[in-house]
Amino acid sequence: MASKPVYSLHRNPMLKKRDDFEDVLEERRSSSDLRYALRCYTPVLYKGMTPSKASMLKSMVLQSDQLHFVMKQVSTETGKAVDDIQEEASAILEEMAHRLQLSTIRFFAYTLTKVFKNLFRSICVNEEGIQRLQQAIQEHPVVLLPSHRSYMDFLLMSYILYTYDLALPVIAAGMDFMGMKVVGEMLRMSGAFFIRRSFGGDKLYWAVFSEYVKTILKNGFAPLEFFLEGTRSRTAKSLTPKLGLLNIVMDPFFKGEVFDVNLVPVSISYERILEESLYARELLGVPKPKESTSGLFKARKVLSEDYGSIHIYFGQPVSVRSLSQGKIDRCQFNLIPRHIPKKPTEEIQGFVNDSAYRLVRAQEENMVLKPWVLLASLLLQNHHQSQASGQRPGLTRDELTQQAAWLRDLSRQYGAFLHWPDHASPSEVVSSSLSLHRGLVKMSEGRIQLAVEQAGGQVNPGEPRTAVTPEEELLNRAVVILSCASYRNQALHVFLRPALLASALHAASSNHKQEVFNSFSFLRNMFSNEFILCPGATVQDFEEACFLLMKTGELQVTEHEVLVTERGQRTLGFLTNMLDPFLQGYQVVCRFLCEEASEALTEKQFIPDVRKFIIKHLLAGRLRYSEVLSSDLQKNALAALLRLGAVQKMKGAQQGTLKVNKVMVNSLEDTLGGKLPTQKAAVARL
């Protein structure tokens, strides 16, 4: 392979070492795409195995002891003949199974090279991570766990593995892709297997699915790939991990069927997300377009756009054997035959849950942040502050550059994996970022600001401006705000713990350490559906936040007190402003449930009703942040209230109805409002 330029990311020498990157498109730009697609491809597999044919894999699944046990159970429960159940299982497998073909992979390799060279300036990969993965694949079954921010993710993963001559993964994909007739079948032939979004207690479906996954894993036919978050994040924040597939891939290790399983977190960072405005509209209640081949071809106009660079970081393989050492007693699995399905114990569920959070945190830590992420954070805060104060919006280029350099240094001190080109001046970096994201910003009278004014009167991008209602104008502006917030959100994992501490200091009535900790603990618990906060790590997170703010000179922490230094005012102001939209979002959901929620409110009706409530009060000027319109934030707030017992889902005849404990919800709103007295007063006027 020809030598390629190596990209080094600036990092604090005190931090753990991270790998350098190389651009895989560099060679593609100077050599034949056809030769690349048709080159010799000879990946090494687990224990030197040869890839199995799809038909052989299906046969192994249908003949497995576990599936036969479940089929007999289902036959007994339903009264159907075992042969009929076997036919059902075979049909499920036919619908589900991949049909990986090298010819399809070569077609994608050729086509995607053309597309990627058009869309992206560079696709940067950490080669050391590739080498670690190559070694891991040969030693133990491997499960790839990429972050999920775009439809592009699994195409990119297969493209990178093909480029480096690694075994192509078998990928868990949602059924919605099967609706894309031609493309759906091509995805199947490139390694995708299709699963339902929910199984609804279908015992046979679950048995076929889990046995299919375990057969691939145990025999090492190919690396397995799935998204821990279960679906694409529309907000660029990591989502609470789903545990079903992780449970399945760990099961063969627990039962002693494999010596170990290697889990590889992969972080995919986009400088500009292809689905940017689509996501914002989805969050505002515009339905997601149904996946279709025609829709894909209509999306070809994106090929004329510039989407900057992508960074893909293959993390350290995580050994399930090492992870479970001293935590799981595997002797319990010797008590019953392996083929008899057994519901995971609380101990196993707790272990899988903790592992999932650790893996998502590993994804977050290796996410590469681009300068625009910092600029978006600054421009959003300026937009909100100018709205609240009535001051002129925007920042001059010099002001924005100076603030960006300050935030760059702060984020590096907090351990951010920041891609800030050190060979260019700060003003050049800022100009380049603004140019790439010019759809979200504008220059007005020498000041750079969010392009919310341009959004007015534009129901859909590209369509002529028409007269619109105040509500439509509000939603159009919110598209820009939420698009910008999705970039700000990429940095939240860096600032989250210090921001929770800054907000706790703001809320606490004294600087007494215990009181500050109690306030921190309340906020952390409230937001544990919103952000990735590992279970049982409250003290650890508090200490980490104290350490970072002390290290940078913002706080002095004694045995009994937490004191803000003079230089800390600016940083703590920035950090509290970062969390303010989430605080107001949770407050307004509480206010809605106390004031306007009917006795017959259902979970299905919750989002449309709370959205109407929020729109009414945004138009009246009683709410500061249009980010509270995000359905993601509203769902997370409801999930938190359900977890805390302030809202309950009714069962029986009233199934799906939400029962609100108004005293408890009101108390939670008051406690959240203690953080923002001015906003508390504003929300109280609703």
Side-chain angles (χ1 to χ4, degrees), residues 98-165:
H98 79 82
R99 288 199 294 275
L100 185 60
Q101 290 182 11
L102 188 55
S103 56
T104 308
I105 297 299
R106 294 192 187 284
F107 170 79
F108 269 122
Y110 178 77
T111 310
L112 289 175
T113 298
K114 300 284 187 197
V115 171
F116 290 161
K117 286 193 292 189
N118 241 347
L119 289 177
F120 305 112
R121 298 173 187 179
S122 59
I123 297 178
C124 302
V125 180
N126 63 322
E127 277 218 316
E128 287 173 61
I130 291 289
Q131 288 160 12
R132 289 191 295 264
L133 176 59
Q134 193 164 30
Q135 188 66 33
I137 286 172
Q138 293 174 54
E139 292 173 353
H140 303 292
V142 162
V143 180
L144 295 164
L145 300 169
S147 57
H148 200 16
R149 304 288 178 269
S150 171
Y151 274 144
M152 195 66 80
D153 293 332
F154 63 84
L155 295 173
L156 269 169
M157 287 290 292
S158 295
Y159 183 83
I160 296 301
L161 296 189
Y162 178 78
T163 298
Y164 284 101
D165 214 27

Side-chain angles (χ1 to χ4, degrees), residues 577-592:
N577 286 338
M578 201 167 218
L579 277 191
D580 281 356
F582 298 97
L583 278 155
Q584 186 171 91
Y586 279 49
Q587 275 183 276
V588 77
V589 166
C590 288
R591 178 58 33 212
F592 162 76

Side-chain angles (χ1 to χ4, degrees), residues 274-293:
L274 273 79
E275 298 100 327
E276 184 183 280
S277 66
L278 177 71
Y279 285 166
R281 289 169 195 281
E282 270 189 60
L283 292 169
L284 292 167
V286 177
K288 166 183 157 184
K290 190 178 175 186
E291 271 71 50
S292 67
T293 307

Side-chain angles (χ1 to χ4, degrees), residues 416-529:
F417 199 2
L418 184 65
H419 181 242
W420 184 287
D422 288 324
H423 59 270
S425 69
S427 61
E428 287 173 326
V429 174
V430 168
S431 294
S432 173
S433 289
L434 293 173
S435 172
L436 185 66
H437 297 275
R438 57 187 171 274
L440 296 176
V441 288
K442 66 171 185 176
M443 178 74 88
S444 176
E445 297 174 13
R447 299 174 80 80
I448 298 157
Q449 56 188 271
L450 298 185
V452 287
E453 304 304 325
Q454 291 170 208
Q458 194 174 357
V459 179
N460 285 302
E463 289 185 5
R465 290 172 185 266
T466 55
V468 291
T469 66
E471 181 179 327
E472 286 172 327
E473 190 166 341
L474 172 71
L475 292 174
N476 282 322
R477 292 181 182 202
V479 168
V480 175
I481 300 291
L482 290 178
S483 297
C484 211
S486 72
Y487 291 101
R488 185 269 327 270
N489 290 347
Q490 291 180 28
L492 276 172
H493 68 276
V494 174
F495 297 108
L496 177 60
R497 284 148 192 84
L500 285 169
L501 180 52
S503 297
L505 280 161
H506 202 291
S509 56
S510 77
N511 290 325
H512 194 274
K513 194 173 182 180
Q514 186 59 49
E515 189 175 335
V516 174
F517 174 76
N518 291 342
S519 182
F520 177 92
S521 185
F522 167 78
L523 289 171
R524 187 188 183 281
N525 187 26
M526 197 75 202
F527 286 133
S528 60
N529 293 84

